[in-house]
């Protein structure tokens, strides 16, 4: 099932949309929506304390994302409306090749960053709560650090000009992508992470008292999965409007 924001399940990240939305929206769509939560705990309090702080932040991240579902849907439908208004059939007659795939990745990035823009300050609060956590398992610490770094990149990545980039490709006779597309896609695809990250190794550090918190988070994630499934259609409508092949 395609996902916009790369939301996770208990075993790791769900797969992204097939084809152009490959490997990995958050998850968001992702995304990187969060509210206020408790201050970060450091490893000096033990692995369980660090995990407790991380689970709290992750729960609020997912809970806030779910609370934003109506806004997210309206925002993504707004992206579709803008494409229909500004550049319908912009890629008419274009081939299906690696360059069209990169432009379809730019479509994904446009959708994801539109969602990110809904609550950037909350994304920064999530990072403030998690960036300094560490565990005795250094691989786990690196995993969380990498996730945080990717979230930071998404928060600072400028929104692409999709219509302009497609028109430039057409003007080249479908031979050369604009530098803006190549640069954006490389940065976006490398940083694309979803709404929360629960590495498998984290399970070994969860205190029994935190199991209900984890279960509540997973329940909320199922609601986000339903959103992701619905928004596959929006992605397809954008691609059809552009007459762009993945």
């Amino acid at each position: 099932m395609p996902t916009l924001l790369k939301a996770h399940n208990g075993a790791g990240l769900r797969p992204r949309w097939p084809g152009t939305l490959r490997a990995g929206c958050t998850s968001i769509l992702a995304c990187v929506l969060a509210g206020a939560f408790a201050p970060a705990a450091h490893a000096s309090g033990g692995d369980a304390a660090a995990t407790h702080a991380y689970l709290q932040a992750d729960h609020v991240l997912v809970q806030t994302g779910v609370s934003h579902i109506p806004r997210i849907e309206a925002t993504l439908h707004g992206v579709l409306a803008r494409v229909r208004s500004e550049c319908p059939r912009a890629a008419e007659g274009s081939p299906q090749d690696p360059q069209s795939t990169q432009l379809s990745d730019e479509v994904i990035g446009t959708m994801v960053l539109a969602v990110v823009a809904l609550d950037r300050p909350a994304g920064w609060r999530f990072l403030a709560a998690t960036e300094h956590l560490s565990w005795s398992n250094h691989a786990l610490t690196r995993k969380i650090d990498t996730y945080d770094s990717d979230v930071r990149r998404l928060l600072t990545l400028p929104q692409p000009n999709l219509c302009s980039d497609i028109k430039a490709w057409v003007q080249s006779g479908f031979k050369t992508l604009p530098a803006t597309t190549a640069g954006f896609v490389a940065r976006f695809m490398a940083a694309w992470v979803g709404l929360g990250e629960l590495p498998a190794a984290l399970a070994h550090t969860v205190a029994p008292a935190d199991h209900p918190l984890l279960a509540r988070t997973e329940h909320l994630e199922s609601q986000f999965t339903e959103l992701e499934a619905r928004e596959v259609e929006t992605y397809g409508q954008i691609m059809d409007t552009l007459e762009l092949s993945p």
Side-chain angles (χ1 to χ4, degrees):
M1 177 182 297
T3 66
L4 181 61
L5 300 181
K6 292 180 63 181
H8 71 79
N9 58 26
L13 293 179
R14 300 188 187 103
R16 285 191 254 186
W17 281 323
T20 63
L21 302 143
R22 54 193 179 281
C25 239
T26 54
S27 17
I28 299 182
L29 297 136
C31 236
V32 286
L33 301 173
F37 30 68
H42 297 277
S44 58
D47 286 351
T51 296
H52 175 74
Y54 187 82
L55 290 177
Q56 284 184 316
D58 185 74
H59 176 75
V60 176
L61 179 77
V62 177
Q63 185 178 52
T64 306
V66 169
S67 75
H68 282 313
I69 282 176
R71 291 181 64 201
I72 292 171
E73 291 181 315
T75 295
L76 295 178
H77 297 167
V79 173
L80 171 60
R82 188 164 63 250
V83 169
R84 284 174 169 167
S85 173
E86 297 178 4
C87 53
R89 306 178 68 180
E92 183 179 7
S94 62
Q96 182 175 17
D97 61 14
Q99 291 188 354
S100 71
T101 297
Q102 287 195 66
L103 282 165
S104 69
D105 289 340
E106 186 171 339
V107 171
I108 302 165
T110 298
M111 296 175 73
V112 170
L113 292 188
V115 174
V116 170
L118 291 175
D119 206 344
R120 279 197 182 92
W124 290 114
R125 290 194 294 271
F126 171 75
L127 291 179
T130 61
E131 281 188 312
H132 302 295
L133 297 175
S134 61
W135 289 260
S136 59
N137 181 335
H138 298 304
L140 174 58
T141 300
R142 286 194 299 272
K143 181 74 171 177
I144 298 298
D145 287 346
T146 297
Y147 177 72
D148 284 342
S149 294
D150 289 338
V151 169
R152 181 179 291 275
R153 291 189 194 101
L154 287 179
L155 288 169
T156 57
L157 194 59
Q159 185 87 1
N161 190 329
L162 179 64
C163 288
S164 176
D165 288 344
I166 291 177
K167 290 174 182 178
W169 184 51
V170 172
Q171 289 171 0
S172 77
F174 307 115
K175 296 185 183 301
T176 306
L177 285 175
T180 47
T181 290
F184 171 79
V185 169
R187 294 192 299 273
F188 170 72
M189 297 302 285
W192 185 15
V193 291
L195 192 67
E197 164 82 322
L198 293 177
L202 200 69
H204 302 295
T205 65
V206 178
D210 281 330
H211 289 167
L213 175 63
L214 186 57
R216 290 195 299 272
T217 302
E218 291 173 344
H219 174 70
L220 289 169
E221 286 164 5
S222 67
Q223 298 179 48
F224 218 84
T225 299
E226 294 172 2
L227 165 68
E228 293 162 350
R230 292 194 299 271
E231 293 310 317
V232 174
E233 181 177 357
T234 304
Y235 163 76
Q237 289 174 333
I238 293 172
M239 295 290 286
D240 289 345
T241 299
L242 294 168
E243 297 196 13
L244 178 65
S245 299

